[in-house]
């Protein structure tokens, strides 16, 4: 199904039967003012602008990538321009939802420091199933900032308006960063299950024939196997372990390399190929970076 592209915030307002936006490049919408969706079946959408949602009690399903998600409690999620997502609603059921939606067109950020900073907020590349769960206090903080943004563009627009709104947006995004960091820590059981599964996936990959046939495991491969997005996985691992996904892969490779160097008679080149390296020099370089010894020096230390 070809996704339906919405190019402007005005177009979104029109599609949702909302009044024309007061500002063409930024809009804060109370979900309760959207009485019904303009379609009766599943639809794929793609926006040409940023979308920040705080939703609760949403009786439709969001689909992002291959993941479907139910909204039973207050959660936030972030979608950047060009990302495809879907909405599914049960036939014959009226729309029920509450919360707030903030839409920001990239042109609003043009020539401001936030235009570049937006790409650093990794949660815009998370999947819907990696949404942000908010406490009541955190919800209040987010809603207050969104309402401040709305109040500013509802007022008489002057030369200070854009800077004040940009400052509010930065504040909101920094709070979201803080809340995600908190979520990585507080949802320990689920997150440690991800760590255990990561260990298992890497062990199975390196112990079987997969590594010889397919080469080195990639961050994308690991993320797909764990059913999370690469950015979410790296963000989670950095908070829990201080290391990125790539560093975890390298550590596991070195662990396996040390085992082969100390317990087999395979040459350094043979070990490199068995571990998925195309060039033995690349293996030797990584090994020395990680251990301060060349593979041969490491092997000799066992003799």
């Amino acid at each position: 199904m070809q996704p339906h592209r919405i190019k402007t915030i005005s177009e979104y307002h029109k599609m949702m039967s909302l009044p024309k936006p007061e500002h063409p490049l930024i809009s804060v919408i109370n979900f309760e003012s959207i009485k019904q969706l303009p379609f009766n079946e599943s639809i794929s959408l793609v926006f040409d602008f940023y979308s920040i949602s705080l939703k609760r009690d949403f009786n439709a399903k969001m689909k992002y990538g291959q993941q479907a998600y139910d909204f039973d409690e207050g959660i936030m999620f972030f979608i950047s321009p060009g990302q495809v997502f879907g909405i599914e609603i049960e036939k014959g059921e009226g729309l029920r939802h509450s919360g707030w939606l903030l839409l920001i067109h990239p042109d609003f950020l043009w020539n401001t420091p936030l235009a570049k900073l937006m790409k650093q907020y990794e949660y815009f590349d998370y999947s819907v199933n990696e949404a942000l769960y908010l406490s009541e206090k955190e919800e209040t903080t987010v809603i207050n900032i969104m309402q401040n943004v709305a109040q500013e563009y509802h007022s008489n627009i002057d030369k200070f308006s854009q800077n004040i709104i940009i400052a509010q947006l930065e504040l909101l995004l920094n709070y979201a960063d803080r809340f995600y960091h908190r979520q990585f820590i507080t949802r320990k059981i689920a997150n440690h299950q991800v760590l255990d599964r990561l260990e298992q996936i890497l062990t199975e990959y390196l112990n079987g024939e997969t590594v010889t046939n397919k080469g080195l495991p990639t961050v994308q491969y690991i993320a797909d196997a764990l059913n999370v997005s690469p950015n979410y996985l790296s963000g989670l691992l950095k908070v829990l372990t201080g290391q990125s996904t790539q560093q975890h892969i390298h550590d596991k490779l070195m662990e396996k390399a040390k085992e082969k160097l100390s317990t087999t008679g395979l040459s350094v080149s043979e070990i490199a190929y068995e571990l998925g390296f195309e060039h033995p020099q690349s293996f030797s370089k990584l090994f020395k970076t990680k251990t301060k010894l060349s593979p041969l020096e490491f092997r000799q230390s066992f003799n």
Side-chain angles (χ1 to χ4, degrees):
M1 180 169 58
Q2 187 73 18
H4 179 66
R5 181 176 289 274
I6 300 174
K7 294 181 180 178
T8 67
I9 291 172
S10 296
E11 196 180 327
Y12 178 85
H13 273 245
K14 188 176 179 182
M15 184 178 86
M16 294 299 178
S17 302
L18 295 168
K20 188 178 175 182
E22 294 198 34
H23 193 296
L25 300 179
I26 191 160
S27 182
V28 176
I29 298 163
N30 185 332
F31 276 120
E32 289 178 12
S33 63
I34 300 175
K35 303 300 183 189
Q36 63 182 62
L37 295 174
F39 40 84
N40 297 316
E41 52 191 3
S42 302
I43 189 171
S44 288
L45 298 170
V46 57
F47 294 163
D48 284 353
F49 41 84
Y50 291 97
S51 160
I52 299 173
S53 303
L54 170 59
K55 273 182 179 286
R56 55 163 57 250
D57 307 321
F58 186 38
N59 63 331
K61 283 186 178 176
M62 293 286 297
K63 212 169 182 211
Y64 187 105
Q66 298 308 309
Q67 298 298 312
Y69 202 84
D70 293 302
F71 293 82
D72 296 324
E73 52 189 309
I75 61 173
M76 279 187 89
F77 66 100
F78 305 77
I79 296 178
S80 56
Q83 290 178 311
V84 179
F85 66 99
I87 299 175
E88 298 176 4
I89 189 160
E90 293 289 328
K91 284 185 178 176
E93 203 173 320
L95 181 64
R96 185 186 74 248
H97 60 170
S98 62
W100 295 84
L101 173 64
L102 171 58
L103 304 176
I104 312 149
H105 198 281
D107 288 356
F108 185 79
L109 309 175
W110 186 79
N111 219 14
T112 72
L114 190 55
K116 287 182 182 174
L117 278 174
M118 288 298 268
K119 293 177 174 52
Q120 293 175 24
Y121 293 106
E122 292 184 336
Y123 45 74
F124 276 104
D125 287 325
Y126 292 172
S127 300
V128 168
N129 67 316
E130 299 154 350
L132 179 57
Y133 292 77
L134 298 179
S135 67
E136 281 188 32
K137 187 179 173 185
E138 289 168 349
E139 259 191 69
T140 303
T141 299
V142 168
I143 291 168
N144 285 342
I145 296 172
M146 286 192 177
Q147 289 176 339
N148 286 344
V149 169
Q151 186 180 334
E152 186 57 37
Y153 70 69
H154 283 315
S155 307
N156 294 326
I157 300 286
D158 58 27
K159 66 177 184 178
F160 300 103
S161 299
Q162 187 186 26
N163 288 343
I164 290 170
I165 292 173
I166 292 288
Q168 290 292 322
L169 293 177
E170 276 199 67
L171 184 62
L172 176 62
L173 297 172
N174 284 328
Y175 268 119
D177 241 353
R178 171 191 273 182
F179 297 157
Y180 259 114
H181 197 275
R182 181 266 310 149
Q183 181 166 296
F184 288 145
I185 295 167
T186 54
R187 303 187 77 197
K188 278 183 179 175
I189 294 172
N191 293 337
H192 283 295
Q193 286 172 344
V194 171
L195 273 179
D196 291 344
R197 183 83 183 105
L198 169 70
E199 187 73 14
Q200 184 186 345
I201 288 164
L202 283 172
T203 300
E204 287 172 1
Y205 191 100
L206 295 176
N207 284 348
E209 293 180 5
T210 314
V211 67
T212 313
N213 297 333
K214 291 190 174 180
L216 295 170
T218 63
V219 173
Q220 186 68 57
Y221 172 86
I222 302 298
D224 288 345
L226 288 167
N227 212 14
V228 297
S229 61
N231 278 341
Y232 185 87
L233 180 59
S234 278
L236 172 65
L237 292 176
K238 279 176 189 171
V239 171
L240 294 180
T241 68
Q243 290 191 306
S244 67
T245 313
Q246 191 66 64
Q247 287 169 315
H248 274 272
I249 292 170
H250 284 166
D251 283 355
K252 198 70 182 173
L253 281 167
M254 292 305 99
E255 192 182 299
K256 198 70 188 167
K258 287 176 183 177
E259 181 190 313
K260 288 179 182 287
L261 285 164
S262 57
T263 61
T264 74
L266 294 170
S267 70
V268 171
S269 292
E270 286 170 329
I271 291 171
Y273 291 128
E274 278 198 4
L275 289 177
F277 287 87
E278 285 185 41
H279 308 290
Q281 302 94 310
S282 302
F283 165 68
S284 297
K285 185 179 177 183
L286 179 62
F287 192 91
K288 185 147 192 176
T289 302
K290 289 287 186 182
T291 66
K292 305 292 185 281
L293 296 170
S294 71
L296 286 177
E297 287 168 342
F298 179 84
R299 174 170 270 169
Q300 284 160 5
S301 70
F302 277 84
N303 299 330

